[in-house]
Amino acid sequence: MDAVKEAVDGLKNVALSDGPGSKPQGQRKDKKEKKKGADAGNDSRPLELEPSPGYIDHRIQIFEKLKAQYDEIVARKSSEDLDINIILDNNRVEIGKAWVTTPAFIARSISKSLSERIVIAQVDGELWDLERPLERDCRLELLDFEHPEGKKVFWHSSAHVLGEAAERRFGCHLCIGPPVQDGFYYEMALPDGGVVQQSDWKPLENIASKAIKEKQPFERLVLSKPDLLEMFIGNKYKQHIIKDKIPDGTSTTVYRCGPLIDLCRGPHVPNTGRIKAFQIMKNSASYFLGDSANDSLQRIYGVSFPDKKQMDEHKKYLEEAARRDHRKIGTEQELFFFDEKSPGSAFFLPNGTIIFNALQHLLRSEYWKRDYQEVATPNMYNTDLWKTSGHWQHYKDDMFAIRVDKEEFALKPMNCPGHCIMFDHKERSYKDLPWRVADFGVLHRNEASGALSGLTRVRRFQQDDTHIFCTQEQITQEIEGLFDFLRRVYGLFGFPFKLKLSTRPEKFLGEIETWNIAEGKLRTALNSFTAAGGGEWELNEGDGAFYGPKIDITISDALKRDFQCATIQLDFQLPQNFNLQYVTGEGSGQHVADGEEEANTEPKAESERNKLKPGNARPVMIHRAIIGSFERFIGILTEHFAGKWPFWLSPRQVLIIPVTVAVNDYAEEVRRIFREEEMHAHVDLSGNTMQKKIRTGQLQQYNFIFVVGVQEKESRTVNIRNRDDQATQAKGDLIPLKDVLEKLVSLRKERRLVNSI
């Protein structure tokens, strides 16, 4: 049953360029194609194909035949009249009938408003269709659209409506249609290699509206692999997924709404009528399975809501997000740009570099307080290093490889193997631990050309990459120290954050006992964080890295969007791969066996080579980043602040405007005084009027504008306009230059978020 989900999960994160007729995007790069534009003009074609494609009737005939057989099985089971206990959220127990009582029935028995509000059920933790009969004693949760899983299901169901509309209009072959962060999409191949035009959007919405008004029920049916292959015999994309992802002798589900029947794990809303607002947002091109060697497909994106008011709010949100777009602000404020001569690599202009350096200075100051040691490591390593670390086996397609002197090298995509070499450079003692090592080195990752997006997805970047080498006994205290680090840094930007513990996955390296110990230490640190008022943490079972459990940290910006920047990962495998050891010392309390059992999964020859010396133990490695990629974090900050930078980060802190030419010398003197304090102060000596100069400075988001005239020059004062305080936008009190300088030095030193002196 999970096979379809795996196929979708493997595809839905493939990033694509926006806009009609854009180049297909996949995992590999730079295949040039002729641009197929989207015509936004009128379309004289009929709304729907007449007659409808033959595959629709073919699917329906198979579905109805097998559905009738399934209904007979359900009828026999329901006739057994078996009572079941249904435990609700408040621990209230309802008595139902196996194979008869549905979650929807329970909801209606509670209240009509509840039954109309919920979109999906969760039965013993498994998502469940509201109209699907319950089969056994269970715990039942009823989820509405605001629940993350409810939203995914709602948008997944809406994708099916879009798929139905596409089949009815184009006679296309559907591929996949998952929910995504802000809605859903459906991917398809149009007949004769056709492309979706912008003029198709409205007709597709009209067909979708008809399907919604019909309140088409979503019907679930389990089919065997042979039946699936027969049902989708004319769709080579479904055939590929069925053959590749569904093992012989197993089954999975299809869902029907109206004439559409699709290979789908589900679940879905009860009927299409639950969708009250539906809109197509954009379309693009893509490749099947994200591989440029495969067929070019069309992808249509949409969004939907259970309330029309929510659609209006979403449009306002999109307008605000567009206003804050870091690519737009980056151009307006001259922060950075990109050039095709080095795709995916930002050119930081002086203003952007000021922000970059201010962030780096913040981190260096925190490193000093927290006993981190900064190092610099090479950018390029022989691939033997990456083979030892394991990255070559799992990550080489995302690395830039280079031939040098008949040997193969690669640019580093991460710093951890280099730090392992540093740890092993000399003999280490337990007295040296924890060793906290920081590195701002340049990294390169060979991202797909189509995945590149401003500063948020680049090929060349730097990050606040650090690794902590410690003993198992030190894990908890180190994690607690990192939580304090998070609070300090994120608090400066006004970012609330959430923590999620990801535990041992199905495929892992090492011994379960070692994992349990590590997870226990992380839980202890997380519980201490909560007890200290840091908020509740979440458990994400089975989503840890293969080499160790991890804590994922997400921040929330001004638009309440979540971003994962920070990560804390425990790693037992790299110290083993590089045979890292430290001397325990007698009576130190260290145990040679600690963390060593995980090596038993290796071939015997490898284990012998990496065997611990007598009296030595293996360190634990903690991977951690707080802001992550500087490039991505600057993109997030740009949108979070909408270009209105806090004073300590701002590349445009002070603008001095002389009222007349007679005080130009004083304006220049003021600038020099502030520049001597390393503040980003500028003076406008242009021939523009004073009001135009002020307006220009406001549009450029200067934190403070000093207006100086003869009176200010004679009294050595300034008249201040504060960017964020409307009350200061007219002439106010004259403030002594010395006082202003002291206040701004304090504002910068304290890294205050509020732009006030």
Side-chain angles (χ1 to χ4, degrees):
M1 294 292 287
D2 290 341
V4 175
K5 180 177 183 295
E6 290 175 5
V8 171
D9 287 347
L11 295 171
K12 67 183 180 184
N13 292 322
V14 177
L16 298 166
S17 64
D18 299 339
S22 58
K23 184 178 73 174
Q25 302 162 11
Q27 294 303 311
R28 295 275 55 90
K29 333 276 180 303
D30 302 330
K31 178 176 178 180
K32 294 184 178 179
E33 294 193 349
K34 291 182 180 179
K35 207 169 187 178
K36 300 174 181 177
D39 179 11
N42 295 326
D43 193 332
S44 60
R45 290 177 295 166
L47 185 66
E48 299 184 40
L49 291 177
E50 290 291 345
S52 60
Y55 61 71
I56 291 180
D57 283 340
H58 172 76
R59 290 187 318 218
I60 290 174
Q61 288 176 15
I62 295 175
F63 184 92
E64 290 182 343
K65 174 186 174 183
L66 297 176
K67 183 68 163 57
Q69 297 173 6
Y70 175 75
D71 289 344
E72 289 179 5
I73 295 172
V74 173
R76 286 197 299 272
K77 291 185 176 182
S78 64
S79 66
E80 296 174 3
D81 197 30
L82 178 65
D83 287 344
I84 56 173
N85 295 318
I86 304 164
I87 306 171
L88 305 181
D89 270 350
N90 56 5
N91 287 325
R92 192 176 105 202
V93 178
E94 292 281 342
I95 305 300
K97 297 291 184 183
W99 295 94
V100 175
T101 303
T102 65
F105 176 84
I106 297 295
R108 287 191 292 269
S109 70
I110 296 172
S111 75
K112 181 182 178 183
S113 62
L114 174 65
S115 67
E116 292 173 346
R117 189 174 72 252
I118 60 170
V119 297
I120 202 66
Q122 205 162 29
V123 177
D124 292 335
E126 177 187 354
L127 291 175
W128 198 273
D129 299 287
L130 288 173
E131 297 293 352
R132 179 182 169 188
L134 300 169
E135 301 169 6
R136 60 188 180 278
D137 292 343
C138 62
R139 177 174 288 277
L140 175 66
E141 296 176 78
L142 302 171
L143 312 180
D144 62 14
F145 179 79
E146 297 307 319
H147 190 284
E149 293 298 336
K151 192 167 291 183
K152 287 180 185 176
V153 167
F154 190 90
W155 282 340
H156 186 189
S157 300
S158 302
H160 278 237
V161 173
L162 173 58
E164 176 186 336
E167 285 192 342
R168 289 166 66 172
R169 178 161 179 78
F170 302 125
C172 58
H173 290 303
L174 299 177
C175 181
I176 61 169
V180 289
Q181 185 174 3
D182 288 314
F184 53 88
Y185 70 76
Y186 226 116
E187 202 168 61
M188 64 202 68
L190 271 60
D192 302 319
V195 298
V196 175
Q197 308 289 341
Q198 193 169 339
S199 58
D200 288 310
W201 294 7
K202 189 62 179 176
L204 288 168
E205 289 172 353
N206 290 338
I207 300 171
S209 180
K210 289 169 62 177
I212 289 167
K213 288 177 181 177
E214 291 170 4
K215 297 185 177 180
Q216 300 169 350
F218 279 90
E219 299 178 88
R220 176 181 183 272
L221 183 62
V222 179
L223 295 186
S224 67
K225 185 171 182 177
D227 287 335
L228 290 167
L229 290 170
E230 175 59 26
M231 176 174 280
F232 297 101
I233 193 168
N235 186 325
K236 66 178 181 179
Y237 307 106
K238 301 292 185 185
Q239 290 277 318
H240 178 90
I241 293 171
I242 294 166
K243 292 175 181 177
D244 188 54
K245 298 295 183 181
I246 301 173
D248 292 342
T250 65
S251 59
T252 193
T253 51
V254 295
Y255 276 81
R256 176 182 180 180
C257 64
L260 176 73
I261 301 169
D262 201 9
L263 179 69
C264 178
R265 184 173 182 263
H268 287 283
V269 299
N271 62 70
T272 57
R274 292 298 187 97
I275 303 167
K276 304 302 182 185
F278 181 102
Q279 185 169 333
I280 290 172
M281 306 305 293
K282 61 183 178 180
N283 68 276
S284 66
S286 62
Y287 290 116
F288 180 55
L289 302 180
D291 188 339
S292 60
N294 291 337
D295 289 357
S296 175
L297 303 173
Q298 296 295 295
R299 184 179 286 191
I300 306 174
Y301 292 83
V303 70
S304 62
F305 295 94
D307 187 295
K308 291 181 180 179
K309 183 180 177 182
Q310 289 172 298
M311 178 67 84
D312 293 336
E313 291 171 351
H314 181 70
K315 289 179 180 178
K316 290 178 182 177
Y317 158 82
L318 292 178
E319 290 173 3
E320 179 62 18
R323 186 182 73 83
R324 292 170 177 259
D325 191 316
H326 74 278
R327 293 164 293 190
K328 171 177 172 287
I329 293 173
T331 299
E332 293 170 349
Q333 296 190 356
E334 298 181 298
L335 303 180
F336 61 87
F337 69 91
F338 289 88
D339 191 283
E340 282 303 309
K341 294 179 179 63
S342 184
S345 301
F347 288 76
F348 276 101
L349 295 164
N351 286 345
T353 304
I354 287 169
I355 297 169
F356 190 104
N357 289 340
L359 290 172
Q360 202 168 75
H361 180 69
L362 163 67
L363 291 163
R364 283 197 168 108
S365 66
E366 291 297 320
Y367 289 162
W368 181 259
K369 297 173 189 175
R370 300 167 191 274
D371 284 335
Y372 282 78
Q373 295 179 303
E374 187 176 342
V375 300
T377 49
N379 283 83
M380 185 172 69
Y381 294 95
N382 190 290
T383 54
D384 287 345
L385 174 84
W386 304 112
K387 292 172 184 176
T388 300
S389 68
H391 290 99
W392 195 249
Q393 296 86 321
H394 301 286
Y395 203 75
K396 68 177 180 180
D397 288 342
D398 297 301
M399 297 169 68
F400 288 100
I402 304 168
R403 295 290 296 183
V404 179
D405 295 334
K406 299 183 180 180
E407 293 191 58
E408 195 163 27
F409 288 74
L411 297 178
K412 65 179 178 183
M414 63 275 296
N415 288 305
C416 31
H419 292 174
C420 288
I421 290 177
M422 278 193 157
F423 184 93
D424 198 40
H425 176 64
K426 67 175 186 177
E427 184 175 80
R428 303 281 177 176
S429 163
Y430 71 93
K431 295 178 182 179
D432 300 324
L433 304 183
W435 185 47
R436 307 181 187 101
V437 56
D439 196 331
F440 292 120
V442 174
L443 306 175
H444 288 85
R445 294 181 185 174
N446 197 9
E447 300 284 359
S449 58
L452 302 177
S453 178
L455 293 177
T456 59
R457 199 73 173 268
V458 292
R459 288 176 175 163
R460 184 268 186 204
F461 61 98
Q462 290 172 259
Q463 61 183 21
D464 63 325
D465 202 7
T466 69
H467 295 94
I468 301 172
F469 296 87
C470 64
T471 69
Q472 285 205 19
E473 287 78 4
Q474 293 169 335
I475 290 174
T476 300
Q477 71 182 41
E478 289 303 308
I479 300 300
E480 290 174 348
L482 292 177
F483 291 161
D484 181 71
F485 205 152
L486 290 169
R487 272 190 292 256
R488 166 61 180 160
V489 172
Y490 289 160
L492 290 173
F493 306 108
F495 284 138
F497 64 92
K498 296 178 289 188
L499 304 176
K500 186 181 293 185
L501 173 61
S502 297
T503 57
R504 184 180 69 251
E506 185 176 341
K507 295 180 180 179
F508 64 93
L509 293 172
E511 293 295 314
I512 290 179
E513 182 180 356
T514 304
W515 276 81
N516 290 342
I517 292 171
E519 289 174 8
K521 292 181 183 296
L522 293 184
R523 288 173 192 268
T524 299
L526 286 163
N527 289 335
S528 297
F529 172 81
T530 299
E536 297 292 330
W537 56 275
E538 299 177 37
L539 180 63
N540 190 16
E541 288 278 8
D543 201 42
F546 68 90
Y547 50 77
K550 62 178 180 173
I551 297 173
D552 294 320
I553 302 101
T554 56
I555 59 175
S556 182
D557 74 354
L559 293 181
K560 295 182 170 54
R561 299 174 297 187
D562 288 341
F563 299 94
Q564 183 181 333
C565 296
T567 185
I568 300 171
Q569 301 180 359
L570 294 190
D571 188 347
F572 306 103
Q573 194 60 31
L574 272 188
Q576 173 64 35
N577 290 354
F578 284 92
N579 195 24
L580 304 184
Q581 307 183 26
Y582 65 91
V583 178
T584 61
E586 292 185 3
S588 68
Q590 307 300 321
H591 303 287
V592 174
D594 280 359
E596 181 57 23
E597 287 300 313
E598 68 268 25
N600 292 344
T601 56
E602 299 179 356
K604 186 172 182 181
E606 188 71 14
S607 295
E608 287 298 320
R609 187 163 66 248
N610 288 0
K611 191 173 181 180
L612 286 170
K613 299 175 183 176
N616 283 11
R618 191 82 66 199
V620 176
M621 190 175 183
I622 301 176
H623 304 255
R624 87 102 186 98
I626 302 294
I627 70 169
S629 156
F630 279 86
E631 286 77 1
R632 183 168 179 264
F633 196 68
I634 289 172
I636 292 169
L637 287 179
T638 305
E639 298 184 2
H640 177 59
F641 292 125
K644 294 185 176 182
W645 298 99
F647 185 77
W648 68 274
L649 267 180
S650 179
R652 290 170 170 162
Q653 293 174 326
V654 176
L655 176 64
I656 303 111
I657 297 177
V659 174
T660 68
V661 175
V663 295
N664 280 2
D665 58 338
Y666 180 59
E668 285 282 17
E669 181 187 356
V670 172
R671 185 188 74 89
R672 285 195 301 272
I673 289 170
F674 280 83
R675 290 281 295 178
E676 286 171 2
E677 290 293 335
E678 298 185 357
M679 289 189 191
H680 307 296
H682 309 103
V683 61
D684 187 346
L685 300 179
S686 70
N688 293 326
T689 65
M690 186 184 74
Q691 289 304 319
K692 186 170 184 181
K693 291 178 181 179
I694 291 173
R695 182 57 181 156
T696 300
Q698 290 171 336
L699 291 174
Q700 291 176 332
Q701 302 298 347
Y702 276 91
N703 296 73
F704 298 97
I705 297 176
F706 296 171
V707 179
V708 296
V710 174
Q711 186 180 4
E712 286 82 3
K713 178 179 178 179
E714 291 175 349
S715 61
R716 296 195 63 76
T717 59
V718 292
N719 188 286
I720 300 178
R721 283 168 165 78
N722 182 336
R723 181 194 65 196
D724 299 339
D725 185 355
Q726 288 301 312
T728 67
Q729 299 309 307
K731 182 175 174 61
D733 296 334
L734 303 185
I735 304 176
L737 193 58
K738 179 182 176 183
D739 293 350
V740 175
L741 186 60
E742 289 177 356
K743 290 177 183 293
L744 290 186
V745 167
S746 175
L747 179 62
R748 181 184 61 186
K749 181 180 179 181
E750 295 171 15
R751 295 191 176 96
R752 295 203 300 268
L753 193 58
V754 178
N755 195 61
S756 173
I757 57 173

